[in-house]
Amino acid sequence: MMNANVQSKPVSDITDLPALGMDAGSIIEDFRRYFSHTLGRDQLSQSAYYVYTSLSLSLRDRLVERWKNTKHTYSETDCKRTFYLSLEFLMGRALGNAMLNLQVDPSTADELKKLGLELEDIIDQEHDAGLGNGGLGRLAACFLDSCATLQLPVKGYGLRYEYGLFRQKIENGFQLEEPDHWLRNGNPWEIERPEFSVRVKFCGSVAHYTESNGIRRANWKNTKDVMAVPFDVPVPGYRNGTVNTLRLWKSTATEEFDLSEFNAGSYAEAVAAKNAAEHITMVLYPNDASENGKELRLRQQYFLASASLQDVLRQWIERHGSDFNQFADKNFFQLNDTHPTCAVPELMRLLMDEHGLSWDKAWDITTRVVAYTNHTLLPEALERWSVSMFGRLLPRLLEIIYEINEQFLNQVKARWPGDIDRIRRMSIIEEGHERYIRMAYMAVVASVSVNGVAELHSHLLQKHLFHDFYELWPEKFNNKTNGVTARRWMVSCNPSLSSLITRTIGRGWITDMGQLQALAPYAEDAAFRAEWRGIKQANKVRLAQLVERDCGVVFHPDALFDVQVKRIHEYKRQLLNILHAIHLYDRIKRGDTQDWTPRCILIGGKAAPGYLMAKRIIKLVNAVGQVINEDPACSGLLKLVFLPNYRVSAMEVICAGTDLSEQISTAGKEASGTGNMKFMMNGALTIGTLDGANIEIREEAGAENFFLFGLTAEQVEDTRGHYNPGEIIAADEDLRRVMSLLQNGCFNAFEPDIFGSIIQSIYSQSDPWLTAADFRGYVNAQQQVAIAYRDQERWTRMSIINTATSGKFSSDRTILDYNRDIWHLAQVVVKPVSIL
Ligand code: 26W
């Protein structure tokens, strides 16, 4: 292991260099040197990937200057910091973002052209950093962008998965998963920092002893240790000199681990042990909203929590020694869902066992520095770890959790004496045949703040999942409606719309999205509308090219582009969308096409590999799409495609070219949604239920600019127990015909019965997603969409109003709310590079 202390006295600072030029000439010069000298390439080996790497390195150098300034400034000012702990960071591509936020001279593109290189093509070479599943991971990435832009000292901590979320291939309409070895060609955006490696303990046993001063201590011994090696990724703020850090941990074997086995003559076992250590950060778990209790996943969670906390404590001790009195005033940890909740008992352990604090002192600190964000109400997504597995892997943590629970339950008993049922309900340990640790309850008990991610969701948390806790500690609970960053989701992915907006209302909106309001009056300006429409049209052409390349289907840009992209899940009801597509097909086949609005439907998203129903839904989209797209009767009227391998970089093209955003989850099930916000700010109209942030989107845009349908969350709850889809289907001729087409094998002539389970689920009286119940409302709302779209002037007005009223959904607003209510960080201005 590299020694951090190998330093002779410096004669002068070897890093004291003149600032790098930000002009196109300097950037291109560095780019050429990287290409030719560092990577050793020439004209003949001008593979596009080396070009991408060279340009990235050239920009990274410029980031590094600002990065060092930022670290230096944070350290000098000894400011309070927040650490955002997350098992997922869905960063997507970095190059375009770095160029935007660094304000690279626009003529750089022209200079590249002179070398025969297209900037767009270079940017397109970058492999998405897909270290997340969906909403929760992308939210973490948007938050980092906002924190850096708002000049808040926030550091992300995550895992450096060797394999990100799987690549999705479609074969014969079925999803196939392929490993995403995203680091294969190297990653110019990370810097390895082996000097800050830390040791993480697993397994072993705990011995208790009494010190000479009478204090009881625990010794966690005979552990199997794994090293955590940090890799830092720069997170640039928007043109403000701040570059924050995302620190990702990679697991490796300890040196002595190998050695001891090797000396015993077990070479093969030694290598196997090394493998086991390296497995921890090998792959991202591809489950979105369903927990499967796998041991390796718990290892990942503890590995992140322990490595990150040790890293923070090391930095604390370097500066403050072992005096932890001010620790809670200077540090804060935000837990992105329960996934990093091992941080609670681990912080207790480190403070007590490693730094000698008493239980009470450690608990006082822990409960002042942790906050928890919940991202889902779905019961199958709530993390529970079996006590027996947890105890084998993390025996010391289990002891601490039991102690936390005992003290907590004493509080409950004091407040509600004799209420045995309440004790059972609230216990962090779920009793039963097998005992489980309820991670969400532990997070609530330890946190100063518990928040949901949209108004409705936060309300439902208080009403149901955490109701008992809300009664005990109402002051802990709050809402933080999600947001997304306008830098990636407008400026960079929709440059023509952004420049029209900037020409019209100035550039302030990029860091203060509320200013988009000023666009509203232009909805009444015919010339402005024409320009707006022209830009949307061009973006639709770009989206159509993507669809043609990846699906082999031609989308006509005059048609209504109707898009649903998100993880495939029954609660998100891609199935309802398909039923509508079949209904439109049925109308075409029976000649009901008067006043038809041509429509191109795009559905995309990944299914968890073990989620069979979701995978069957993908097959259904492809099957229905094939019939529709091949039927000459549909030509010019209707298309339906499934876009394979939906990911961040695809969404950048999709959201700019979408007319209609599908947000059709069963009310009460989608915590917030964030795709809905990306579509809205890019001028798409929403068809949606009163779920998640849709409610707030409709409030902001106005009911007249939103296509609403469906049961409310309350009605959904009330329907339980007396839902009769058979009756609904029988009573609705359109739905009856749709079901017949499905049942008669119209879409699976050569694969009998493959959609049986789907058909059954729609007919089931216990269908939790109430697909049949919302069919009529959905079809009617879609009819309103079709009418509105035929009046292009009206549609464009509504589109402009949607963008103009999307300011609330900036992640800058969300982060300011977190900071005002929870983190209380001071803004730290970093001195610009040039004047140092
Ligand atoms: C452990 C298995 C697992 C994995 C991921 C359980 C739960 C999750 C996440 C909570 C799923 C998720 O991404 N939730 C989404 O979070 C977004 C950001 O807050 C919300 O916008 C989405 O509505 C919510 O589904």
Side-chain angles (χ1 to χ4, degrees):
M1 194 51 51
M2 200 183 281
N3 187 339
N5 301 317
V6 188
Q7 283 169 1
S8 50
K9 258 215 155 60
V11 179
S12 65
D13 183 356
I14 54 174
T15 63
D16 189 13
L17 291 161
L20 296 170
M22 292 304 293
D23 56 298
S26 311
I27 291 168
I28 296 289
E29 189 184 319
D30 288 359
F31 158 71
R32 296 178 71 165
R33 197 185 54 253
Y34 275 119
F35 185 81
S36 164
H37 294 171
T38 308
L39 303 182
R41 306 295 141 177
D42 55 32
Q43 258 338 85
L44 296 174
S45 58
Q46 197 169 321
S47 132
Y49 199 82
Y50 297 122
V51 170
Y52 152 74
T53 304
S54 306
L55 185 58
S56 298
L57 289 172
S58 165
L59 285 157
R60 190 184 84 179
D61 288 349
R62 280 134 182 103
L63 286 177
V64 166
E65 293 179 311
R66 290 155 183 79
W67 205 359
K68 288 182 173 177
N69 272 350
T70 305
K71 287 184 213 172
H72 186 238
T73 309
Y74 290 171
S75 148
E76 272 207 325
T77 54
D78 194 23
C79 52
K80 181 178 183 183
R81 293 174 209 212
T82 288
F83 306 99
Y84 197 81
L85 304 188
S86 178
L87 269 285
E88 304 188 15
F89 285 93
L90 234 185
M91 300 297 280
R93 291 172 172 164
L95 176 56
N97 189 247
M99 293 185 74
L100 172 70
N101 285 13
L102 277 172
Q103 198 169 12
V104 162
D105 185 347
S107 67
T108 307
D110 307 327
E111 294 301 315
L112 286 165
K113 231 182 221 123
K114 289 185 195 156
L115 298 169
L117 301 166
E118 279 301 326
L119 181 56
E120 287 298 305
D121 299 343
I122 301 176
I123 285 175
D124 226 28
Q125 284 301 311
E126 183 170 358
H127 201 114
D128 281 36
L131 307 186
N133 274 287
L136 163 143
R138 182 54 229 178
L139 185 76
C142 282
F143 279 5
L144 292 185
D145 179 273
S146 284
C147 290
T149 295
L150 293 165
Q151 303 176 295
L152 296 176
V154 174
K155 180 169 177 174
Y157 275 112
L159 296 183
R160 180 181 178 274
Y161 301 107
E162 205 79 36
Y163 294 87
L165 186 60
F166 64 85
R167 187 158 358 99
Q168 180 191 55
K169 285 265 162 72
I170 300 297
E171 228 174 83
N172 182 33
F174 289 104
Q175 165 175 302
L176 293 182
E177 300 93 28
E178 285 182 354
D180 164 48
H181 198 193
W182 71 294
L183 294 166
R184 191 173 33 224
N185 299 317
N187 174 12
W189 301 106
E190 65 182 15
I191 294 186
E192 185 176 359
R193 302 246 184 254
E195 65 275 29
F196 299 127
S197 297
V198 301
R199 181 178 286 262
V200 178
K201 298 182 179 197
F202 287 98
C203 303
S205 59
V206 186
H208 291 269
Y209 61 96
T210 308
E211 279 183 343
S212 50
N213 53 13
I215 294 174
R216 292 282 293 163
R217 294 257 167 242
N219 179 17
W220 185 6
K221 56 181 196 185
N222 301 327
T223 51
K224 292 195 168 136
D225 298 357
V226 177
M227 296 309 295
V229 182
F231 287 68
D232 287 352
V233 179
V235 180
Y238 182 71
R239 304 185 177 180
N240 62 6
T242 294
V243 176
N244 281 340
T245 301
L246 169 60
R247 177 160 281 187
L248 300 176
W249 299 101
K250 174 195 163 99
S251 62
T252 72
T254 56
E255 279 167 17
E256 82 276 359
F257 207 121
D258 302 354
L259 205 65
S260 56
E261 296 278 350
F262 186 74
N263 290 341
S266 324
Y267 173 75
E269 284 72 16
V271 175
K274 184 171 160 63
N275 269 337
E278 269 155 19
H279 276 158
I280 293 180
T281 55
M282 194 59 76
V283 58
L284 166 75
Y285 272 86
N287 294 336
D288 186 81
S290 96
E291 179 47 56
N292 59 10
K294 288 269 167 47
E295 179 176 320
L296 181 60
R297 169 76 177 179
L298 178 57
R299 282 181 185 272
Q300 291 184 338
Q301 296 188 351
Y302 176 64
F303 182 76
L304 169 66
S306 181
S308 309
L309 287 169
Q310 290 187 57
D311 198 43
V312 172
L313 291 181
R314 173 186 55 77
Q315 290 176 66
W316 177 264
I317 286 159
E318 267 170 26
R319 193 180 178 103
H320 304 266
S322 51
D323 176 1
F324 285 90
N325 281 318
Q326 304 295 310
F327 185 82
D329 301 325
K330 294 279 189 183
N331 297 281
F332 202 85
F333 300 91
Q334 188 71 40
L335 308 180
N336 199 19
D337 215 280
T338 53
H339 316 158
T341 298
C342 282
V344 169
E346 176 65 0
L347 182 55
M348 289 296 290
R349 183 187 76 81
L350 291 169
L351 291 176
M352 295 187 302
D353 299 0
E354 311 271 322
H355 300 293
L357 270 64
S358 67
W359 176 280
D360 289 344
K361 187 69 204 149
W363 186 244
D364 173 65
I365 290 174
T366 301
T367 52
R368 285 163 63 202
V369 299
V370 172
Y372 157 55
T373 304
N374 172 287
H375 294 266
T376 181
L377 285 158
L378 299 185
E380 65 268 32
L382 298 178
E383 293 195 298
R384 305 176 321 157
W385 293 108
S386 101
V387 165
S388 61
M389 187 215 291
F390 201 102
R392 186 163 39 77
L393 222 54
L394 307 166
R396 178 60 182 138
L397 263 69
L398 183 60
E399 290 183 348
I400 293 172
I401 293 171
Y402 268 108
E403 181 65 31
I404 292 174
N405 195 38
E406 192 179 320
Q407 300 207 6
F408 162 62
L409 291 180
N410 283 338
Q411 251 181 287
V412 178
K413 282 176 201 156
R415 169 81 191 268
W416 289 283
D419 194 342
I420 307 294
D421 194 54
R422 191 183 287 264
I423 302 280
R424 184 191 52 72
R425 286 201 311 266
M426 295 181 79
S427 174
I428 294 173
I429 306 296
E430 181 183 327
E431 300 289 342
H433 170 63
E434 164 116 65
R435 280 180 301 171
Y436 290 96
I437 306 170
R438 295 158 162 161
M439 298 302 270
Y441 289 5
M442 180 159 68
V444 172
V445 168
S447 291
V448 267
S449 157
V450 178
N451 75 280
V453 290
E455 290 286 353
L456 173 70
H457 172 234
S458 297
H459 169 77
L460 293 173
L461 282 178
Q462 297 170 19
K463 192 165 163 215
H464 300 291
L465 182 59
F466 298 138
H467 185 253
D468 289 325
F469 295 86
Y470 178 64
E471 284 190 335
L472 182 59
W473 296 309
E475 68 284 354
K476 280 194 187 187
F477 290 82
N478 64 94
N479 172 248
K480 295 287 168 282
T481 298
N482 283 166
V484 303
T485 169
R487 271 73 64 189
R488 182 173 297 259
W489 298 112
M490 292 183 77
V491 182
S492 142
C493 75
N494 200 343
S496 7
L497 194 73
S498 299
S499 79
L500 171 61
I501 295 172
T502 296
R503 266 180 281 134
T504 310
I505 63 169
R507 56 175 57 261
W509 65 276
I510 297 171
T511 48
D512 175 13
M513 271 185 75
Q515 292 185 28
L516 287 172
Q517 247 336 317
L519 279 177
Y522 291 89
E524 299 309 321
D525 176 334
F528 185 83
R529 284 202 301 273
E531 253 192 287
W532 189 272
R533 202 157 44 240
I535 288 165
K536 178 60 84 177
Q537 193 74 1
N539 289 335
K540 288 172 74 173
V541 168
R542 196 157 62 112
L543 174 51
Q545 285 164 356
L546 176 77
V547 168
E548 186 166 4
R549 191 192 71 192
D550 291 358
C551 312
V553 173
V554 177
F555 272 14
H556 196 291
D558 286 341
L560 169 73
F561 280 18
D562 171 348
V563 177
Q564 185 177 22
V565 285
K566 49 184 81 236
R567 287 299 288 256
I568 310 294
H569 201 293
E570 288 164 281
Y571 85 79
K572 295 177 187 282
R573 293 200 297 195
Q574 281 89 0
L575 192 48
L576 188 56
N577 193 347
I578 305 170
L579 295 185
H580 175 246
I582 298 174
H583 166 66
L584 292 181
Y585 177 63
D586 180 44
R587 279 183 56 194
I588 292 170
K589 296 306 273 185
R590 54 179 211 242
D592 176 16
T593 56
Q594 234 200 5
D595 295 326
W596 189 267
T597 301
R599 190 188 285 253
C600 296
I601 305 173
L602 184 155
I603 299 177
K606 294 175 183 177
Y611 188 174
L612 299 185
M613 188 60 95
K615 293 178 113 171
R616 209 36 78 89
I617 289 169
I618 291 176
K619 172 67 178 174
L620 181 61
V621 177
N622 282 300
V624 174
Q626 190 168 5
V627 169
I628 289 175
N629 301 335
E630 284 176 4
D631 191 331
C634 296
S635 172
L637 300 179
L638 183 63
K639 293 270 167 71
L640 167 63
V641 300
F642 184 87
L643 182 85
N645 204 31
Y646 173 63
R647 59 200 186 283
V648 172
S649 59
M651 183 55 161
E652 289 170 12
V653 178
I654 294 167
C655 68
T658 293
D659 295 308
L660 183 66
S661 154
E662 298 271 353
Q663 307 300 336
I664 60 179
S665 51
T666 312
K669 308 296 177 191
E670 186 71 90
S672 161
T674 44
N676 48 3
M677 301 168 183
K678 295 162 197 169
F679 284 120
M680 181 198 199
M681 48 187 72
N682 285 284
L685 307 197
T686 305
I687 183 167
T689 49
L690 286 176
D691 200 13
N694 297 351
I695 297 173
E696 292 157 73
I697 285 178
R698 181 165 169 269
E699 265 166 26
E700 297 296 305
E704 68 283 12
N705 298 303
F706 186 104
F707 299 97
L708 178 70
F709 74 96
L711 300 177
T712 63
E714 235 169 90
Q715 291 168 330
V716 167
E717 275 178 53
D718 295 345
T719 302
R720 242 182 293 143
H722 39 86
Y723 175 51
N724 193 340
E727 229 166 58
I728 296 171
I729 294 165
D732 187 320
E733 165 151 27
D734 287 337
L735 182 52
R736 210 166 63 226
R737 293 176 62 98
V738 167
M739 293 308 291
S740 307
L741 287 171
L742 263 176
Q743 280 161 311
N744 297 341
C746 178
F747 309 107
N748 55 324
F750 305 105
E751 293 163 297
D753 231 38
I754 51 167
F755 299 129
S757 58
I758 291 180
I759 294 165
Q760 239 180 50
S761 76
I762 300 172
Y763 273 105
S764 165
Q765 300 200 350
S766 54
D767 170 19
W769 322 117
L770 306 180
T771 304
D774 276 348
F775 176 81
R776 180 44 46 195
Y778 182 54
V779 167
N780 289 345
Q782 286 286 19
Q783 188 53 35
Q784 294 308 307
V785 168
I787 292 168
Y789 191 76
R790 279 204 296 280
D791 181 350
Q792 280 288 296
E793 294 296 347
R794 174 182 168 208
W795 186 274
T796 308
R797 246 183 242 119
M798 294 168 80
S799 166
I800 295 166
I801 295 298
N802 265 271
T803 302
T805 55
S806 66
K808 176 174 182 185
F809 307 105
S810 163
S811 45
D812 299 348
R813 189 272 312 149
T814 310
I815 288 300
L816 287 172
D817 288 354
Y818 274 92
N819 194 47
R820 183 195 59 222
D821 299 341
I822 308 173
W823 303 342
H824 311 299
L825 304 176
Q827 179 193 47
V828 178
V829 177
V830 176
K831 278 177 275 175
V833 163
S834 50
I835 63 164
L836 271 184

